[in-house]
Amino acid sequence: MLKLALLDIGSNSIHMILTEIQPDFSYKILDRFKDVTRLGEETFKAGRFSPDAIEKGTGVVKNFVALARNRGFTRIEAVATSAVREAANGGYFIEMIGRQTGIRILVVTGLEEARLIYLGVRQSMDFGDRNVLIADIGGGSVELIVGNRNKLLHAASLKLGAIRLKDLYLRQDTPSASRLERLKEAVEAQLKAALSRFKKVGFDDFVGTSGMIGNLAEIMH
């Protein structure tokens, strides 16, 4: 059995799961850890990480890596998404983590992020004979994917993450009506451009993933 630690360095939070990979490539999740680091806060507007964000993010990853190694996990894989791939000093952030932990971070594109989300959802549920629309709302981006049990059919990565939108449009505690209208227009413009293609592909069901989706579901119900 392979003991594998997986790190997801997102714009809102940093996750780690500890897993055992079986000889037949099935897996068992042994533990999960999460820190709401909010790396993307003020990053999308400024275009770079603040020194505080780099210090906090590096510290969280360092702690997670130490925890994994203390529990006997020598294989550690890490991916980073929207905030790291867009920050002008994202490379410096990755370099700092590498120096302090020895791990290599893979920065994935929006479309690769969408592909990985699709594989995770397909692994966790039965699609049957349906095409499923998957939406993942992150801190920096929103991934939309249509796929079935056999393959991914179409995907898009939109710059509509919750922290990004707050940074750009909702910086005040009580945003003005004009700011809310600009936010609505920005969201509708990106969705309208993307969804026409998804409608052509067609889908039967909808699945939402991520903590943001969970929060929205609680608010709606």
Side-chain angles (χ1 to χ4, degrees):
M1 289 182 298
L2 171 65
K3 296 179 74 173
L4 177 64
L6 299 167
L7 278 164
D8 176 6
I9 303 171
S11 304
N12 184 53
S13 56
I14 297 176
H15 296 252
M16 181 174 74
I17 61 171
L18 303 179
T19 67
E20 281 184 350
I21 310 299
Q22 308 300 323
D24 63 356
F25 297 108
S26 63
Y27 62 90
K28 180 182 179 182
I29 296 177
L30 303 178
D31 217 337
R32 300 173 182 265
F33 303 90
K34 176 181 177 180
D35 190 291
V36 183
T37 318
R38 299 183 72 83
L39 279 177
E41 197 160 58
E42 299 186 0
T43 298
F44 296 109
K45 189 173 181 66
R48 59 190 300 110
F49 291 128
S50 68
D52 285 347
I54 290 177
E55 182 179 358
K56 186 174 183 181
T58 302
V60 170
V61 174
K62 188 176 178 180
N63 288 339
F64 279 178
V65 169
L67 189 156
R69 286 176 174 156
N70 287 341
R71 293 179 60 169
F73 288 78
T74 55
R75 175 82 179 268
I76 301 173
E77 301 289 344
V79 297
T81 54
S82 188
V84 178
R85 68 176 171 249
E86 291 187 40
N89 54 351
Y92 173 74
F93 174 65
I94 291 171
E95 185 181 337
M96 287 290 291
I97 291 174
R99 285 180 187 173
Q100 296 189 31
T101 67
I103 68 168
R104 177 178 175 271
I105 296 172
L106 175 65
V107 182
V108 297
T109 66
L111 289 180
E112 175 63 5
E113 188 176 352
R115 187 184 75 86
L116 294 173
I117 291 164
Y118 160 73
L119 291 175
V121 174
R122 192 180 71 176
Q123 174 72 23
S124 64
M125 64 175 286
D126 180 11
F127 282 20
D129 295 322
R130 301 160 295 170
N131 286 354
V132 178
L133 172 64
I134 304 164
D136 183 283
I137 302 177
S141 62
V142 169
E143 276 65 51
L144 297 174
I145 309 109
V146 169
N148 54 39
R149 64 185 177 189
N150 298 314
K151 62 181 179 179
L152 186 156
L153 299 171
H154 183 61
S157 180
L158 310 179
K159 294 185 176 183
L160 293 176
I163 289 182
R164 183 196 299 273
L165 296 181
K166 178 180 180 294
D167 238 13
L168 298 179
Y169 299 99
L170 304 176
R171 295 178 66 81
Q172 299 138 334
D173 290 338
T174 307
S176 64
S178 62
R179 278 186 173 270
L180 289 173
E181 185 60 27
R182 280 161 50 201
L183 168 60
K184 179 183 175 183
E185 289 172 357
V187 171
E188 287 181 346
Q190 287 202 51
L191 285 177
K192 185 176 180 180
L195 288 179
S196 60
R197 171 71 182 183
F198 286 92
K199 289 178 181 177
K200 288 181 182 178
V201 174
F203 54 90
D204 307 295
D205 283 331
F206 172 80
V207 173
T209 68
S210 80
M212 299 283 186
I213 287 281
N215 293 339
L216 287 172
E218 286 185 12
I219 292 169
M220 290 168 65
H221 293 284

